[in-house]
Amino acid sequence: MSTTTTRTEETTEPVRPSGGTSDRARAEQRLGWLLAGPAFVVMLLVTAYPILQAAYYSLFDYRLTDPDKRSFVGLNNYLVILTDSVWWTSFGVTVFITVVTVAVELVLGFALALVMIKALKAIRPVLRAVILIPYAVITVVAAFAWQYAFSLDSGFVNSWFDWLPGVSADTDWFGGTFSSLFVICLAEIWKTTPFISLLLLAGLAQVPEVLQEAAKVDGASWWQRMSRVTIPNMKAAIMVAVLFRTLDAFRVFDSVFVMTAGANSTETVSFLAYRQTISRLEIGLGSAVSVMLFVSVVLICVLFIKGFKVDLSAQRGEN
Amino acid sequence: MRRPRRRSRALAAGVVAAAMVGLAGCGAGPTGPPTLNWYINPDDGGQAEIAARCTAASGGAYQIEVSTLPNDAAEQRQQLVRRLAANDSSIDIMSIDPPYIPEFAEAGFLAPIPEDVARRSTAGVVNSAIEGSTWRGRLVTVPFWANTQLFWYRKSMIAGSGLDPTRPVTWDQLVAAAQRKGSQLAAQGDRGESLTVWLNALIESGGGKIVTNPSPDDPKAVGLGLDSPAARKSAEIMKAVSGVAGPGFSTADEEVNANAYQDGSAMFTVLWPSSLWGKVKSAVEEGSAPASLLADTGWGEYPRTDAARPSAPPYGGINLGVGRFSPNPDLAYRATECITSPANQAYYFVANGNPAVKESVYSDPEVLKEFPMAPVIRQSLDQAAPRPQTAYYAEISESLQRNYHPTAAIDPSTVGPATAALIRAVLAKEKLL
């Protein structure tokens, strides 16, 4: 990646006239638009259109089985949502799942990335494949597997771990809020740690080996090299990994749907949107919840990019 | 370089040819008899077999093809509603869970039933099935099969419990007997439709009603009976049962109940015949349960809420609706008459354990041989009460589930009025669900 950067700089810098864009740069820009254009149009069709439609529907009182009675209610649906304790409970549960899973995944993912980069060349491909397997499993399938493992009648967890304090043959994991959230978080962590470790592996590979060697020559310990050389040099990669995973975690739906169906106050914001739109058939109210979810995700992005100064272009090796 | 190019040309030609065949398939008119699509709930193959039998019996007038809906009744409803809201003309016949019928009828998703079909398909049919097929005083679906729950007990475990199962039992007696024997009473405490089924049966058995006035034209004016003495007694029963229902009660569904009964951890349960008797019989045939379990299984009328009042057991099953956008509604109604013929109902009862709606089927020797409790099922179906009949059933059911789950945590004196307030706010679209 760093070689590409150097080459671009070398080729474009000398021909650029002062204060203007060269013909070549303009041609490259045009080519860039031509290459990205079709994908951009497709994205507009499949993403922007439904988002705009949801924002439009969210201003109506609209029931799917009664389209004739559709009426404009302005921002009333948002008022209903923001004054309802159910929204705030779901929001709290979603934030809890997001914070817990992302924090644990970051630590575990970093450890796995270190294992992958340090592993012997011979076993590296096998190791990477093994670590990636959970990520290849469909979320719904993974959620069912974890539910069966922890369920009272068919699960093995209670009999394997009954030596742990608080676990017995009669422990009903899905009978309480925190025990349910524990299993949901565990399933999420198992499933998506490989994703975060892969992003961190890319960051680790970018840290120049010469810096490590120089630190070694200076007598730096393993911990000093990690905290002073490795982590500062891959800060951009870490932040991008955390951002992507946070956006993903905030939309958690499958595990909750399969494991608890929202029982015991385990409803997340996505689940709330599902319940209003699909189950209750209230397209207006459900769209408003979806728009709120979208706004939350946008706010997370803004917080990361502006607040933590995450530079997405740094991840591409442009800076 | 030549070979790959030739291969890719061949591939492209293949794709074009396949597309032409596909287009030709779309454009060509029907070559055989008209096809009727029947959207079915998953079963043990009975509906597919009935479809094949009726196709053969029609003498070329139509052919029925089945499409399977999701497992869960609520998800079956979601899929059908979404399709019908988009005017899906591929739905000719659909197997509908009774509580959702008013919603389908109110939304105009069902083709009107011809008078003669309505007359023939309700003749000699159990009361609850006719009630469950009716909306605003008119028959809107064809009764197909009707389910009800019975009280099941292990004969060997009941000795010394102080209970006489040959007489009607009450929930209070069952809780006391389970406590005395240190055993379990398996019921559906899971947050799902089965919790509403249970609560409705408890309240109806106590002489109350969840919805006293469905107010179809103005959902905000819905009348609710959740603060009645019967509703309060029902909440007390639910709470008491959670003390003797085993450790995983808040996640226990029908399957968990049947397993608890089968492995002997529960001495009593309330379940649909196919979920218990059908399951026990298959387990014995497979060798996973001792043969003695069949002889050890006793059954009786659904437990009473009030000792002085006969119980109103749960009513379930499936009724057949004809899609409003079907191009062949008359043929589809003809097909429903074949599907619900006494012979097919008897076959479905014996083969898949789903009880018939026609009373005559209950004297069929084969039915009696496979389901010796058939007379009790028939009596139970006559007493059974449907769940609240309203076009807003999904909202009401989910509001009930939100407040009555987990049953161990409910406060019987406040849960009813609190739920009534929630339902009113949800129907007025002032609260999320």
Side-chain angles (χ1 to χ4, degrees):
Chain A
M1 279 216 144
S2 53
T3 42
T4 323
T5 318
T6 328
R7 201 185 306 136
T8 321
E9 280 163 5
E10 277 170 2
T11 48
T12 51
E13 287 285 319
V15 291
R16 183 184 294 168
S18 58
T21 319
S22 71
D23 286 349
R24 175 161 186 178
R26 258 203 304 274
E28 277 187 1
Q29 208 172 16
R30 202 165 45 239
L31 181 68
W33 275 109
L34 280 176
L35 290 174
F40 185 69
V41 171
V42 171
M43 284 297 283
L44 274 184
L45 281 176
V46 301
T47 316
Y49 171 66
I51 290 173
L52 291 175
Q53 195 184 33
Y56 175 70
Y57 280 157
S58 73
L59 305 174
F60 286 86
D61 171 3
Y62 174 24
R63 190 182 168 84
L64 187 65
T65 50
D66 202 359
D68 297 339
K69 283 197 185 149
R70 192 168 94 170
S71 63
F72 183 78
V73 291
L75 296 175
N76 191 51
N77 286 332
Y78 293 96
L79 196 70
V80 168
I81 294 167
L82 290 171
T83 53
D84 197 323
S85 61
V86 172
W87 161 263
W88 294 108
T89 312
S90 306
F91 191 80
V93 167
T94 313
V95 170
F96 175 83
I97 294 177
T98 307
V99 170
V100 170
T101 54
V102 174
V104 176
E105 284 172 25
L106 186 64
V107 175
L108 277 180
F110 195 74
L112 286 176
L114 282 178
V115 169
M116 282 194 274
I117 205 155
K118 296 281 178 210
L120 287 174
K121 229 176 190 168
I123 62 160
R124 212 177 279 170
V126 180
L127 195 69
R128 281 181 194 177
V130 168
I131 289 175
L132 272 176
I133 285 175
Y135 195 58
V137 177
I138 296 162
T139 316
V140 171
V141 176
F144 269 113
W146 282 86
Q147 191 209 21
Y148 288 138
F150 279 83
S151 81
L152 200 58
D153 59 340
S154 62
F156 57 85
V157 170
N158 282 356
S159 57
W160 282 16
F161 295 97
D162 57 0
W163 49 273
L164 280 172
V167 180
S168 71
D170 289 343
T171 304
D172 184 12
W173 292 91
F174 300 110
T177 306
F178 278 96
S179 54
S180 304
L181 287 178
F182 173 75
V183 184
I184 290 168
C185 288
L186 215 55
E188 288 287 306
I189 291 167
W190 176 82
K191 168 94 177 64
T192 41
T193 300
F195 170 73
I196 216 163
S197 73
L198 210 64
L199 288 182
L200 293 176
L201 180 67
L204 268 181
Q206 277 183 6
V207 179
E209 196 54 35
V210 284
L211 289 181
Q212 299 280 8
E213 279 168 17
K216 244 188 236 176
V217 171
D218 288 344
S221 66
W222 179 86
W223 177 245
Q224 282 170 327
R225 270 182 282 139
M226 183 57 70
S227 59
R228 303 277 173 85
V229 178
T230 312
I231 293 178
N233 271 293
M234 57 182 292
K235 188 185 156 228
I238 294 175
M239 292 317 287
V240 168
V242 171
L243 171 63
F244 282 9
R245 188 51 208 130
T246 305
L247 297 181
D248 205 23
F250 201 81
R251 292 177 291 124
V252 57
F253 175 81
D254 316 44
S255 300
V256 178
F257 183 80
V258 169
M259 289 193 216
T260 64
N264 301 313
S265 308
T266 53
E267 256 168 356
T268 59
V269 175
S270 300
F271 196 89
L272 203 61
Y274 162 82
R275 205 192 274 288
Q276 313 311 315
T277 318
I278 308 292
S279 175
R280 212 178 142 180
L281 304 174
E282 289 293 347
I283 305 295
L285 200 54
S287 296
V289 177
S290 304
V291 170
M292 296 286 287
L293 173 62
F294 176 70
V295 169
S296 308
V297 167
V298 170
L299 284 179
I300 292 173
C301 271
V302 171
L303 183 78
F304 269 82
I305 294 172
K306 298 285 177 201
F308 297 134
K309 306 261 187 287
V310 176
D311 188 357
L312 290 173
S313 59
Q315 178 66 4
R316 296 204 305 262
E318 284 176 6
N319 292 342
Chain B
M1 284 303 279
R2 288 183 73 85
R3 272 175 66 107
R5 189 177 298 166
R6 195 181 302 158
R7 200 181 297 159
S8 68
R9 249 186 227 162
L11 188 70
V15 169
V16 170
M20 299 279 279
V21 170
L23 286 174
C26 288
T31 47
T35 300
L36 299 173
N37 283 312
W38 180 14
Y39 281 76
I40 60 166
N41 57 309
D43 62 0
D44 292 337
Q47 290 175 100
E49 170 62 22
I50 292 174
R53 288 180 181 194
C54 286
T55 300
S58 79
Y62 56 78
Q63 54 181 1
I64 306 177
E65 275 181 16
V66 295
S67 299
T68 310
L69 291 165
N71 269 320
D72 187 58
E75 286 165 25
Q76 291 162 20
R77 166 221 172 220
Q78 286 165 17
Q79 189 172 124
L80 288 173
V81 166
R82 285 211 305 271
R83 283 172 166 268
L84 289 163
N87 298 1
D88 186 347
S89 61
S90 81
I91 301 177
D92 294 301
I93 307 170
M94 50 198 151
S95 295
I96 314 176
D97 202 18
Y100 301 116
I101 288 171
E103 182 179 45
F104 280 59
E106 198 64 22
F109 290 163
L110 301 171
I113 301 189
E115 284 297 323
D116 55 329
V117 176
R119 204 177 49 249
R120 285 193 295 268
S121 53
T122 50
V125 164
V126 290
N127 293 334
S128 49
I130 298 176
E131 212 182 322
S133 288
T134 307
W135 176 242
R136 290 195 190 235
R138 280 187 46 243
L139 194 78
V140 290
T141 54
V142 174
F144 177 27
W145 63 273
N147 219 349
T148 186
Q149 290 191 358
L150 301 185
F151 160 57
W152 307 88
Y153 58 92
R154 297 279 287 246
K155 292 176 188 166
S156 59
M157 294 168 77
I158 213 157
S161 68
L163 202 71
D164 177 8
T166 57
R167 299 174 57 78
V169 294
T170 65
W171 284 97
D172 292 337
Q173 288 171 338
L174 292 184
V175 171
Q179 275 168 346
R180 204 168 297 138
K181 293 286 283 184
S183 186
Q184 291 173 15
L185 161 56
Q188 293 98 54
D190 189 29
R191 181 171 168 169
E193 188 50 33
S194 55
L195 193 73
T196 312
V197 169
W198 185 28
L199 177 64
N200 185 62
L202 287 172
I203 295 179
E204 292 272 355
S205 298
K209 276 203 169 308
I210 292 176
V211 172
T212 50
N213 172 19
S215 176
D217 297 317
D218 179 17
K220 287 179 206 165
V222 66
L224 298 164
L226 286 168
D227 49 1
S228 65
R232 190 187 165 123
K233 175 68 187 164
S234 304
E236 284 168 4
I237 290 172
M238 284 182 136
K239 197 173 171 73
V241 168
S242 64
V244 291
F249 184 52
S250 71
T251 49
D253 56 13
E254 284 101 334
E255 199 176 342
V256 173
N257 294 158
N259 288 338
Y261 177 86
Q262 204 177 305
D263 68 24
S265 48
M267 62 190 286
F268 308 124
T269 187
V270 280
L271 273 178
W272 315 100
S274 56
S275 308
L276 192 109
W277 185 250
K279 197 170 151 61
V280 165
K281 271 205 312 189
S282 341
V284 168
E285 279 161 22
E286 286 164 10
S288 58
S292 59
L293 185 58
L294 285 175
D296 194 28
T297 296
W299 52 82
E301 177 198 302
Y302 192 78
R304 295 180 173 194
T305 299
D306 176 351
R309 194 184 182 95
S311 62
Y315 157 71
I318 288 291
N319 296 326
L320 300 178
V322 169
R324 167 84 173 70
F325 312 103
S326 160
N328 299 303
D330 293 334
L331 266 187
Y333 272 117
R334 237 173 92 187
T336 62
E337 287 197 82
C338 169
I339 292 168
T340 58
S341 71
N344 281 335
Q345 291 199 20
Y347 157 75
Y348 203 35
F349 198 169
V350 171
N352 284 203
N354 294 326
V357 292
K358 298 253 189 212
E359 287 167 332
S360 61
V361 173
Y362 289 85
S363 50
D364 185 308
E366 207 180 342
V367 166
L368 285 166
K369 187 173 146 243
E370 288 294 318
F371 288 88
M373 70 293 299
V376 184
I377 296 175
R378 186 190 150 173
Q379 186 207 333
S380 185
L381 280 172
D382 269 331
Q383 286 173 225
R387 278 160 271 172
Q389 284 187 297
T390 149
Y392 296 86
Y393 178 75
E395 275 105 329
I396 292 180
S397 179
E398 289 194 14
S399 303
L400 292 167
Q401 291 164 34
R402 191 210 277 182
N403 280 10
Y404 281 82
H405 183 273
T407 52
I410 56 181
D411 176 353
S413 59
T414 58
V415 68
T419 311
L422 173 66
I423 292 173
R424 285 200 185 93
V426 165
L427 292 184
K429 306 185 186 189
E430 288 162 1
K431 271 192 103 51
L432 292 170
L433 191 56

